Amino acid sequence: MSEVLIRLEGISKSFGKVRANSNVSLEIVGGRVLALLGENGAGKSTLMSILAGQLRPDSGTVSARGQVLHLTSPEEAIAAGIGMVYQHFKLVEAMTVAENVFLGHRQMFLNRRRMEVEVEALASRFGMSVKPSAVIRDLSMGERQQVEILKLLYRRSEVLIFDEPTAVLTPAEAENLFATMRLMLAQGKGIVFISHKLEEVMSVADDIAILRRGEIVDTVPVKDVSSTADLAERMVGRKVLLEVEKKSVEIRQQVLSLDGLGWSEQDGGVSFELRQGEILGIVGVAGNGQKELVETVCGMCKPHSGTVRILGREWGEFFRTAADDPENTLAWIAEDRQGLATCPSLDLLDNFLLTTRRSFSRGPGKFFLFREEARKRAEYLLKTFDVRPPDLSAAGWQLSGGNLQKMVLAREFYRKPRLIVAEQPTQGLDISAMEEVWKLLLKAREAAGILLVTGDLTEALTLSDRIGVMFDGRLLACFPVEDTVNLAAVPQMMAGICEECAA
Ligand SMILES: Nc1ncnc2c1ncn2[C@@H]1O[C@H](COP(=O)(O)OP(=O)(O)OP(=O)(O)O)[C@@H](O)[C@H]1O
Ligand SMILES: [Mg+2]
């Protein structure tokens, strides 16, 4: 059972001046979960991309059951029994589950019925509920992830690598994933698990390897770790308290008000008000209208019914004139970091300019852009927000997830917004970056009203002044965070089992 399936020895990898992995050695053992931990940019994804055949190391070796592998492509890694579930799924949306599983499979005749039966059997063997005939675009994140896993299991992967698999899952979906992982372990498969959620790591992992600036600084069996605080300290190299001080702030003018907002015929009736000095935390299981709410407030889609007032102006008027008014800025920290918040193929300076261009432009119609001025400002901001590397010529895609998020915050806060929409602001961030972002949001609330949309209840409770629960396109309740009676009912409201939910 406890056979070493994969051995990494002396792996190093640099990107230009950045040393992403430095002399890393690790073992992946059958029947055990190895958690790979480290701050944003520590080199976790790079190391696993090497193992999955996506990247080639500068030096070092990967061997499987004692045999050295020379991986030059993901196909070769898969043939060697190594499969990776990426954070951004690689599925064909218009195809069915079974078709995706069989995609790329070289077989002359494929019988749809037989494909579906095979996929069904595989799914049920590993405790997965996804239907083989369902089309990907109709599936939840958790179900899509199951398809990615099925693809690997179908190709007989012995070692499965999960890069932050729970970042996009609801708590219930995460539990399902863990159950599937246990079934894999029982079959002798080895698992590598990357996550920033330390409680999760403590409950799922058997062994923990910690990377810091590309080097392994610690490898411990989980039974030798006393608490998540102990783990955080091993990872960051100092005590991390995750306790942020929440000062009371004077509540001032209204920055956002919704009155009976609806997005379609069916849903609707979301009403609330947000004032400067407040954080309103909207919680709920993803897919209950949070996305539509955010997109309406941020001007991406039109209200279907009801009214929305932003910074004292009616919705349409605000978006017609907002761009010209530096006093009235709305900042949006979008959940989709790579698709909406940034343009990964552009360098960091251009990414910084995406929403700040007007501040550095002069002349008629703000025609002339003062790039040098922007560069100096952006350079300073990247250092203050501890973006690693603080290199404006790096492309967005070269940054690790957490560092890209810090870049977005640096940019959005630069305009001194009065209304901030923060959507899953700490998703994928390591514990010290999370602490920094929390502090930044609390500080920003002195000058702004903040609409915080989050799937993380701890985050909502730590930051919010009021909590709103969304279910089925409606706001079920909105109450001060001190209201313990309502607070206790939040999990039921989120799951749709309460009096208000039935209405
Ligand atoms: N293709 C690339 N080109 C240039 N630099 C890169 C590239 N990929 C990663 N890097 C750099 O290598 C370092 C390690 O990045 P990596 O993505 O492995 O970190 P990570 O530990 O997975 O972080 P996170 O927790 O934020 O996902 C970072 O400094 C990153 O900017
Ligand atoms: Mg990563």
Side-chain angles (χ1 to χ4, degrees), residues 23-204:
N23 197 19
V24 174
S25 299
L26 276 183
E27 285 178 354
I28 302 166
V29 177
R32 290 178 81 83
V33 176
L34 172 69
L36 198 53
L37 236 64
E39 291 182 90
N40 295 128
K44 305 177 293 292
S45 298
T46 303
L47 187 65
M48 289 303 115
S49 300
I50 289 173
L51 189 51
Q54 286 272 356
L55 290 174
R56 283 212 238 174
D58 299 336
S59 57
T61 57
V62 177
S63 44
R65 299 182 198 259
Q67 203 171 354
V68 176
L69 305 173
H70 297 280
L71 303 172
T72 57
S73 70
E75 291 74 32
E76 289 175 18
I78 285 172
I82 305 165
M84 179 151 170
V85 177
Y86 295 90
Q87 229 183 322
H88 298 278
F89 303 148
K90 298 172 191 292
L91 299 171
V92 184
E93 299 229 333
M95 286 185 170
T96 67
V97 170
E99 284 165 345
N100 268 279
V101 172
F102 275 80
L103 200 66
H105 196 72
R106 295 199 183 94
Q107 201 169 316
M108 198 69 112
F109 299 104
L110 281 176
N111 169 317
R112 174 180 295 265
R113 186 69 209 130
R114 234 191 63 207
M115 275 180 359
E116 291 182 358
V117 170
E118 272 189 56
V119 172
E120 176 97 65
L122 194 60
S124 72
R125 209 168 115 210
F126 288 95
M128 290 184 256
S129 56
V130 68
K131 291 273 157 293
S133 58
V135 177
I136 302 296
R137 80 163 84 78
D138 300 329
L139 300 182
S140 71
M141 282 301 185
E143 291 168 319
R144 288 176 196 220
Q145 190 177 65
Q146 292 186 355
V147 184
E148 289 285 10
I149 298 170
L150 283 169
K151 277 166 46 183
L152 300 180
L153 291 173
Y154 184 75
R155 287 162 179 75
R156 301 183 195 288
S157 296
E158 284 300 306
V159 170
L160 289 103
I161 305 163
F162 291 90
D163 195 353
E164 298 191 41
T166 59
V168 293
L169 301 185
T170 64
E173 286 175 330
E175 281 309 318
N176 285 341
L177 170 66
F178 299 152
T180 297
M181 283 169 52
R182 283 192 291 273
L183 290 168
M184 291 173 181
L185 295 176
Q187 304 222 345
K189 296 185 190 295
I191 292 180
V192 182
F193 180 78
I194 301 178
S195 174
H196 288 295
K197 301 179 188 170
L198 301 183
E199 290 91 21
E200 220 174 68
V201 169
M202 295 284 284
S203 79
V204 171

Side-chain angles (χ1 to χ4, degrees), residues 436-481:
E436 279 169 51
V437 169
W438 283 1
K439 283 184 187 156
L440 286 165
L441 285 169
L442 285 172
K443 177 98 184 75
R445 118 189 191 277
E446 290 167 19
I450 303 180
L451 184 65
L452 169 73
V453 177
T454 177
D456 179 347
L457 270 181
T458 315
E459 174 164 271
L461 295 179
T462 312
L463 300 182
S464 309
D465 300 289
R466 281 184 300 141
I467 302 263
V469 187
M470 280 196 82
F471 179 75
D472 200 18
R474 288 173 297 144
L475 189 65
L476 291 183
C478 196
F479 50 87
V481 71

Side-chain angles (χ1 to χ4, degrees), residues 380-387 406 409-410 413 436 440:
Y380 170 78
L381 285 172
L382 292 193
K383 291 214 176 83
T384 335
F385 280 72
D386 193 24
V387 176
K406 286 195 263 177
L409 284 163
F413 287 175
E436 279 169 51
L440 286 165

